[in-house]
Amino acid sequence: MLQLEDYGFCKKGEGGDYVSDGTIRLGGRRPNNTSGGHLCEGYTHGLNMVIENVRQLRHDADDSCPVGPDGKRQPHLRLPRGGGCRQVKTCELTANLGWANPGTGSAMVMRRD
C-alpha cells in the first residue's frame, strides 16, 4: 500500500481504502498482480512480472480463455475465485514496480501500441 501511495496511484494515507475498495482487483479500475504475482509465483526483481505485463498488453494473458474461430484467444472476465481467465479486458498500460520507494526502487511502464 505504501508503494502505491509513493508512486502516486493514491494519496498518502489512502492506500488502505484504495486496496480495500476493489480498485486493484481483477475487474477493478487498476487490476494488480493478475498472475498471482507476489502472492504465488513472481519476484519483483524477476522477469515473471514483466512477462505477465506483456501478455496483458497483447491481450493474451491466459490459456483458460476460449479460442475463437480465428484461432486467437477471446478475452473474457472471470473473478479469481471462479478460476479461469485473468485477462484485463481493456489493458492498454502496465506498470511493473520494484520493491522499494521511488527513490531507491525501479519501475517500468509499458503501453500498448
Side-chain angles (χ1 to χ4, degrees):
M1 290 184 288
L2 296 175
Q3 190 176 31
L4 293 170
E5 292 174 3
D6 285 345
Y7 278 103
F9 288 99
C10 57
K11 294 179 182 176
K12 291 283 190 181
E14 295 181 2
D17 290 336
Y18 181 83
V19 170
S20 64
D21 72 4
T23 298
I24 67 170
R25 290 186 187 138
L26 187 61
R29 219 169 22 125
R30 292 192 183 112
N32 281 226
N33 290 331
T34 52
S35 67
H38 310 288
L39 301 175
C40 68
E41 62 84 22
Y43 296 94
T44 55
H45 59 273
L47 286 178
N48 288 344
M49 301 305 283
V50 175
I51 291 167
E52 175 67 12
N53 285 340
V54 169
R55 287 177 177 160
Q56 288 288 344
L57 289 169
R58 289 179 177 171
H59 296 171
D60 196 29
D62 200 320
D63 293 337
S64 297
C65 292
V67 176
D70 60 0
K72 295 183 180 181
R73 292 190 195 114
Q74 305 300 308
H76 64 290
L77 180 63
R78 283 196 222 155
L79 296 177
R81 289 188 184 121
C85 185
R86 67 180 187 276
Q87 177 64 53
V88 176
K89 282 186 176 182
T90 58
C91 186
E92 299 293 325
L93 185 72
T94 64
N96 197 43
L97 309 176
W99 183 251
N101 63 47
T104 61
S106 61
M108 178 174 57
V109 176
M110 293 185 281
R111 178 175 57 94
R112 181 178 172 90
D113 253 347

